[in-house]
Amino acid sequence: MRANQEIERRLARLREAFAKDGFNIRRIYVTEGKRIGIAAQHRTAKNYDTGQKKACYYLEGTPYERGYLLGLLAEPEVQDMAVKFTDNVIFDFIGLEFLNRYPKLQKLVVSLLYELSENTWLSMPQHVHEEANGVFDGCKKSNPRTGVTKQRLAVMNVGFDALCAMAYTGSFLGEKVPDLPAEAVRLTMMCNAFSAFGPAAPGEHFFARDFMFATGGVFQNHLAHILHLPIGADQEALYPHVSVTAPGIIGSISVMNTRGIAAGINMSPAANCDPSAVGMNSLLLLRECIMRGGSAAEASRIIINTKRGVAWNYALSDGTNDTACTVEAGASWPNVDFLSYPQKAMLPLLPDETFLKRNMFAPLINGGSVRWYGAEFPETYFPFNPPLWQFYRLEYETLVRLHPDAFAPEGFINRTPKEKNCPSNFYFAPERPILGAFITGNHFLLPHMRLCAMDPWTALITRGNVNDIQWRYDELNHQLRQEIKQKGFIGREAAKRIAEFLAPYGNFPEYYKDNPKSRDRKQTRIEGCVSLFDLKRCIVESHYGYYSDDWVKTTLPAYF
């Protein structure tokens, strides 16, 4: 009787929490072990194209129990992701038109993805396997004929990293798929992130994410806030958290715990990858570090100490200690020969081994370095840039310009989205520090890590992105500085507006003009998700689906 009363008390609290965030509970499941799982629907926010109300889930228990509850509550969504998304995402990543012209090559690339994913999946921690097994069993219980398989769950959860490892390392891809040119690889996953706190947002701490992602025509329909109350083994301390993700994807595209620590990942194409040992990266590692990290320092150590094989930027924001950092991480090798990546013709223009050792401001540990807010940034590398621009003008493109203020705190390398002044990846990008704000883009900023992006193959596959990456970083810097200059601080609404500064109703309405449209062609799809985390109150607001859709909100402390 007491156990039932306790369940009812917990359910009453959860009903109240969902109601305050605008959700109605649609379904409740309580396991024999008294673990609660809830599926809720928003009262008003819905997906423009499907008409479906936005979902939110609450899960508690061991990894297996939480996975099982999700499979029971969201089998149709997991199935759509496991089947359609998994089938389509590779064609979003490598040109569909190109692969359709070469059916044999298409089969080879897909086969390679599944092979790499299978090998990578076997190396995942046991708790990841347990959670995936729970998802599978829950889906089978809900629908014995489900299309969800363990193999598809594996590809869905580690396939992004396998794809990136293949794409970023030309020698590996060239050996396995010899007829696939770099021109066929198109990177569509690009992101922005910034933190605002202290002098820039007195008494507040905001972490904003614009996660641009290849949706496979499916992801945008199933994104949700998934609340986890995790139970670890042997009294292991795990933090309750809200994960922005789609059912079936165990990791997170953005995530926050009850300590007010939040994180997001940004692609950072570079050649310091190991396709033969992909390891635990991106979405899985992002949730891992927040589920186990009670500070940005703890979370960054988890990332650094985890076996990885792919280059990513992990943006961490710490609302408890009012700080932020970016883990610029490649394959977790003990040593990296940074000067082995640029082409030999460039080596006389680059710092030598002695200079690198004397000017490495963030030490390389296990293949990654942490760039902290407020830390000294190595501007000693900037004198190398003018000769690199001159080299690029002579060898590749005569029209690139180097503006006089290109490396000033408020400067631009490309002053508009249409300018193309970057000498490919062959330069040292500026950080442009702001008092109380911290930006993470899609490029390594630490110079020794930046050298890994100067690989010729990496330069080829990022040819359509490199100018955009730099412009977005510089424009974010400009907008944050302007808000502080005009208002004196960055408030919640300003942070939200700046987070989606590329939206069709912003200052750059043409930026997403080529995004897929709704079936009636009237609305533009959000290829990814925009989220704003209030780290003092542990509230997250997210915008996904279509730009006309309403935002949804989750107030984390109310559920726990």
Side-chain angles (χ1 to χ4, degrees), residues 32-45:
E32 291 181 3
K34 308 302 180 187
R35 308 298 195 196
I36 297 173
I38 296 175
Q41 283 185 331
H42 204 276
R43 287 194 289 268
T44 57

Side-chain angles (χ1 to χ4, degrees), residues 242-357:
V242 56
S243 174
V244 184
T245 187
I249 294 182
I250 294 169
S252 308
I253 62 173
S254 304
V255 58
M256 173 182 63
N257 67 27
T258 48
R259 290 270 297 169
I261 317 301
I265 53 161
N266 291 4
M267 285 180 70
S268 187
N272 51 332
C273 300
D274 187 355
S276 64
V278 174
M280 188 182 194
N281 305 271
S282 68
L283 281 71
L284 284 170
L285 184 50
L286 192 72
R287 197 191 74 169
E288 185 85 357
C289 76
I290 296 302
M291 183 168 64
R292 300 176 187 275
S295 66
E298 285 184 6
S300 66
R301 283 194 293 270
I302 290 166
I303 295 168
I304 289 292
N305 292 329
T306 298
K307 177 67 176 176
R308 306 174 315 277
V310 190
W312 288 93
N313 277 338
Y314 297 83
L316 304 174
S317 207
D318 187 329
T320 297
N321 300 292
D322 278 342
T323 190
C325 69
T326 299
V327 184
E328 300 189 1
S332 49
W333 297 324
N335 299 294
V336 177
D337 183 0
F338 297 107
L339 292 173
S340 68
Y341 293 103
Q343 56 183 291
K344 289 183 179 179
M346 290 177 58
L347 291 179
L349 308 176
L350 295 170
D352 59 20
E353 199 78 47
T354 302
F355 186 95
L356 283 175
K357 288 179 179 177

Side-chain angles (χ1 to χ4, degrees), residues 391-431:
F391 170 85
Y392 193 77
R393 273 195 294 265
L394 292 174
E395 295 291 326
Y396 299 104
E397 176 54 67
T398 59
L399 297 179
V400 295
R401 299 178 56 196
L402 186 57
H403 293 302
D405 66 343
F407 299 100
E410 299 183 45
F412 281 86
I413 288 176
N414 296 310
R415 290 174 176 167
T416 72
K418 294 183 178 180
E419 281 195 1
K420 300 185 185 302
N421 291 320
C422 293
S424 185
N425 293 336
F426 311 141
Y427 69 104
F428 295 104
E431 183 185 45

Side-chain angles (χ1 to χ4, degrees), residues 375-395:
E376 182 180 10
F377 189 77
E379 295 184 2
T380 50
Y381 286 79
F382 288 170
F384 290 96
N385 278 324
L388 290 171
W389 249 267
Q390 180 64 15
F391 170 85
Y392 193 77
R393 273 195 294 265
L394 292 174
E395 295 291 326

